[in-house]
Amino acid sequence: MLTRTWSSAIQGIDACTVEVEVNATLSGSENIVTVVGLPDAAVRESRERVWSAMYTSGFLPPHGRTTINLAPADVKKSGSAFDLPIALGMIAAVDGMDRDRLRETMIVGELALDGSVRPITGALPIALHARRCGIVNVLVPAENALEAAVAEGISVYGVRHLVDAVRFMSDPGSLAPTTVDIGSLYQAAAGKVADFADVKGQECAKRALEVAAAGGHNVLMVGPPGTGKTMLAKRLPGILPQLCLDEALEVTKIHSIAGVLGRHTSLLIERPFRAPHHTVSDAGLLGGQSIPRPGEISLAHNGVLFLDELPEFKRNVLEVLRQPMESGEVTISRASGSFTFPANFMLVAAMNPCPCGHLGSMQRQCRCSPGAIHHYRSKISGPLLDRIDIHVEVAPISDAQMLAQRRGEPSAAIRERVVRARTIQQERFRGTPVRCNAEMNGRVLDEACVLGNETRAMLRFAIGELNLSARAFDRILRVARTLADLEAEGTIGPNHVQEAIQYRNLDRQMW
C-alpha cells in the first residue's frame, strides 16, 4: 500500500517541502526497509529508530519489502526530523489512516527507541514554510511547539510520543494547538539587558557607543586591561532598538537552525550578542560543515559581534570579515550547493595598545620593544581597519571615579535618543534598501551629507593630516551624519565633522 506524508528539510536559513512516500508490499519472507531520495547517514539510520519505536509503541511494522522515498530526490536530506513522518507513513500503510489529514499536515520529529519524540532544529522556518505553502497543521515535538507557534495563521501541535501523533490523526481534538502571545513576549523582554548605569566613568567611550548604536557603525575600543572594554560592549545591545517582528523572526530562524535557541525560547526579541573566542576558525566564524550551518557572524545578524583581543585572532580569520561587513551576507559553496546566510551585524572589537597592554599608561610601565608593538598592531590589516567607523581610546578611570557611586545614565535614556535618531534615518531612507547611516553608499551618501564650505575645508585638512583612504573619508561622513541625527539637525555642521574626525585619530596615532 502506498501512503504519502509531508515533511520539510532545511536549506540555508529556509525550509523546503519533502514528500515522504511509503510503499509497503505487506508480503514476503523477510522485512526489508530501503530509504531512497539522497539521504545522509542520519536519515538512513531512521529505519532502525522507526522500527523500534513502532514495536515498543504497540504498532506492527510492515512485513515484507518497504520502500521509503524522500522527494524531490535531487535535494540532499540530512538530520533526524524525518523519523516521525516515516513512522506515520508506515503505520498508515498497515493500519490505514485519515489520508486527508495526512495531506494537510506537515510533520517533523526525531523518534527515540521507546517512541518518544525528541526536539529538532529549525522548527520555526519549517512552520513559516508550511504557512507559505497553505498547509493547515504542523506536527512538531512538544519542546519545539512554542517556537513553531510564533508562525501565526497555522495550527501547531506538539507531540511527546508516537502514540499521541497517531491519535491526533484519527481524533484532532486529542491535542490542543499551541499558541503564543507575541505582545507579551515583547513586554517580558523589556529591562532584561545589562545597564550602562553600572559603568563607572568612561564617558567618552559611552558617547562613542551611543553614536555607533544610533547609526549602526562598527567600533574599535583600544585600552589597557581592566578599563571596562568588555563591560561596555556587553551593554551595547541594551541601547539598540528592539527587533521588529520581521527582524526577530529572521534572527530566531538562524538560531533555531544552528541549534542554539533556548529550549523555552519562542522568539528572540533583544538583539543578539555573540563573542567568539580568539581561537575560532574561519569556518566557525563564517559557517561550515558539508551542509553549511550559520556561523558566528550570522548568529550575530541584526545584533552585535564582539571580538575581544582582536590582534589575537588569526589573520585569515579576520580577513574573512571584510566581505560580509560590506555586503551584509555571506555565501558558502559546497558540493551540495551554494548557501547564503544573512550577516548584517555591528562589529565591536577590543584590543590592548601593545602586547603587555600598558603602553601610555600612567600607572604601569610598558616593557614591550618597538618591534613587538609593531608586530602586534600589524596583525590588523589596513582594509579591515578602514571598515571600522569609530576608533575610541578607553583609558583607565581615576581613583575618584572608582570610589564614586554608580550614577551613570541608564541604558533606557540612551536608547530613547538612539531610537529617535534611527527613526529619522528610517524616514530619510524610506523606499531604499538602506536601513541606517552605516549602510549609506554612493549617491545616497552624497544626497544625505550635504556640506558647507567651512565643513569641506575641515575635511580637506583632515585628509591631508591623517592620510585617509577614500573608504575612511566616507566613514567620517557617515558618523557625522549620525551625530547630526542625534541632535535632530538636518545639516551636518563643523562640530559634527570635528567629532567624527576624532573617532579616526587612531589612524594617525597607531597605524
Side-chain angles (χ1 to χ4, degrees):
M1 181 178 293
L2 178 64
T3 62
R4 292 183 176 91
T5 63
W6 298 111
S7 189
S8 186
I10 300 297
Q11 297 288 316
I13 66 165
D14 293 311
C16 64
T17 302
V18 174
E19 185 179 8
V20 181
E21 299 177 302
V22 178
N23 187 22
T25 60
L26 304 180
S27 63
S29 58
E30 57 182 344
N31 296 326
I32 301 175
V33 179
T34 305
V35 181
V36 297
L38 213 59
D40 70 350
V43 179
R44 289 194 296 270
E45 290 172 354
S46 65
R47 296 175 300 184
E48 314 305 326
R49 293 191 296 272
V50 169
W51 203 263
S52 176
M54 290 178 65
Y55 262 121
T56 56
S57 301
F59 300 104
L60 184 65
H63 186 77
R65 184 177 184 86
T66 303
T67 302
I68 301 166
N69 180 41
L70 306 177
D74 59 344
V75 176
K76 188 172 181 61
K77 320 302 187 305
S78 63
S80 54
F82 300 106
D83 290 3
L84 186 57
I86 288 174
L88 291 177
M90 294 175 70
I91 293 171
V94 175
D95 299 331
M97 195 175 288
D98 189 336
R99 302 296 180 89
D100 291 335
R101 185 159 300 280
L102 277 177
R103 281 194 295 269
E104 64 186 19
T105 305
M106 184 167 283
I107 307 165
V108 289
E110 177 186 339
L111 288 175
L113 298 184
D114 62 353
S116 58
V117 182
R118 290 173 172 166
I120 59 164
T121 59
L124 177 57
I126 290 171
L128 292 171
H129 174 72
R131 184 178 67 182
R132 287 194 300 269
C133 295
I135 294 177
V136 179
N137 304 315
V138 178
L139 209 61
V140 299
E143 293 187 39
N144 296 121
L146 284 176
E147 172 193 341
V150 173
E152 298 177 333
I154 58 173
S155 299
V156 175
Y157 299 89
V159 293
R160 299 189 178 279
H161 200 276
L162 177 59
V163 174
D164 299 332
V166 175
R167 186 180 298 119
F168 170 78
M169 289 301 169
S170 58
D171 179 17
S174 61
L175 290 176
T178 303
T179 58
V180 173
D181 184 358
I182 295 178
S184 65
L185 294 179
Y186 273 89
Q187 293 177 357
K192 286 190 175 182
V193 294
D195 202 314
F196 265 106
D198 299 332
V199 181
K200 293 183 177 181
Q202 303 299 359
E203 299 305 322
C204 292
K206 291 178 185 178
R207 168 66 173 175
L209 291 180
E210 178 182 341
V211 175
H217 304 287
N218 302 319
V219 184
L220 172 63
M221 295 185 288
V222 183
T227 54
K229 299 186 294 294
T230 302
M231 185 179 187
L232 287 163
K234 287 182 177 179
R235 281 151 178 76
L236 181 58
I239 63 174
L240 290 169
Q242 275 191 332
L243 295 169
C244 67
L245 182 56
D246 289 341
E247 291 175 330
L249 288 173
E250 190 172 29
V251 170
T252 307
K253 282 170 56 178
I254 296 170
H255 283 70
S256 175
I257 291 167
V260 297
L261 189 67
R263 287 288 177 88
H264 302 291
T265 302
S266 55
L267 187 68
L268 294 176
I269 304 298
E270 292 295 341
R271 296 186 180 268
F273 179 86
R274 302 295 300 182
H277 193 260
H278 63 259
T279 56
V280 67
S281 65
D282 52 357
L285 205 61
L286 290 178
Q289 302 181 8
S290 57
I291 296 182
R293 289 289 184 265
E296 289 292 336
I297 63 174
S298 293
L299 292 172
H301 178 61
N302 285 330
V304 177
L305 177 68
F306 178 52
L307 302 183
D308 198 8
E309 304 295 342
L310 185 65
E312 301 300 331
F313 285 78
K314 296 177 182 178
R315 180 68 176 261
N316 66 302
V317 172
L318 292 180
E319 292 307 300
V320 301
L321 288 172
R322 288 161 54 178
Q323 185 267 336
M325 288 171 68
E326 290 290 331
S327 65
E329 61 184 20
V330 57
T331 300
I332 302 173
S333 296
R334 294 289 187 270
S336 56
S338 181
F339 303 89
T340 299
F341 298 104
N344 197 336
F345 57 88
M346 275 184 63
L347 174 65
V348 179
M351 61 174 287
N352 297 329
C354 66
C356 75
H358 300 294
L359 180 65
S361 173
M362 302 298 292
Q363 286 83 15
R364 299 183 63 177
Q365 182 179 1
C366 174
R367 300 183 181 277
C368 303
S369 66
I373 296 173
H374 175 75
H375 176 71
Y376 178 75
R377 295 172 177 174
S378 64
K379 293 180 180 180
I380 306 172
S381 67
L384 177 62
L385 192 66
D386 274 350
R387 286 168 169 82
I388 300 177
D389 305 0
I390 296 175
H391 312 156
V392 59
E393 292 184 85
V394 184
I397 62 175
S398 64
D399 296 342
Q401 290 174 321
M402 193 175 299
L403 294 172
Q405 295 292 324
R406 302 179 191 269
R407 296 176 180 174
E409 188 177 21
S411 293
I414 303 174
R415 174 181 266 184
E416 288 181 6
R417 295 195 295 270
V418 169
V419 170
R420 285 198 297 268
R422 288 285 186 117
T423 302
I424 293 173
Q425 294 165 46
Q426 290 172 3
E427 291 297 323
R428 177 186 301 127
F429 304 129
R430 187 178 300 276
T432 72
V434 179
R435 300 183 302 173
C436 59
N437 288 337
E439 298 177 5
M440 288 191 298
N441 210 341
R443 182 180 300 177
V444 177
L445 185 64
D446 294 338
E447 292 175 351
C449 301
V450 179
L451 307 175
N453 292 333
E454 185 180 356
T455 306
R456 287 181 179 276
M458 184 179 296
L459 279 170
R460 190 176 296 111
F461 177 78
I463 293 172
E465 278 291 306
L466 300 179
N467 194 25
L468 297 175
S469 67
R471 183 180 284 114
F473 172 74
D474 286 350
R475 306 227 173 246
I476 287 177
L477 287 182
R478 294 184 185 120
V479 174
R481 180 66 267 175
T482 299
L483 290 165
D485 289 342
L486 281 169
E487 297 177 5
E489 295 286 347
T491 305
I492 297 176
N495 57 319
H496 304 135
V497 171
Q498 186 176 15
E499 184 175 353
I501 291 173
Q502 290 177 357
Y503 294 134
R504 302 298 304 188
N505 274 353
L506 295 183
D507 287 341
R508 179 181 61 196
Q509 295 179 5
M510 298 183 64
W511 276 267

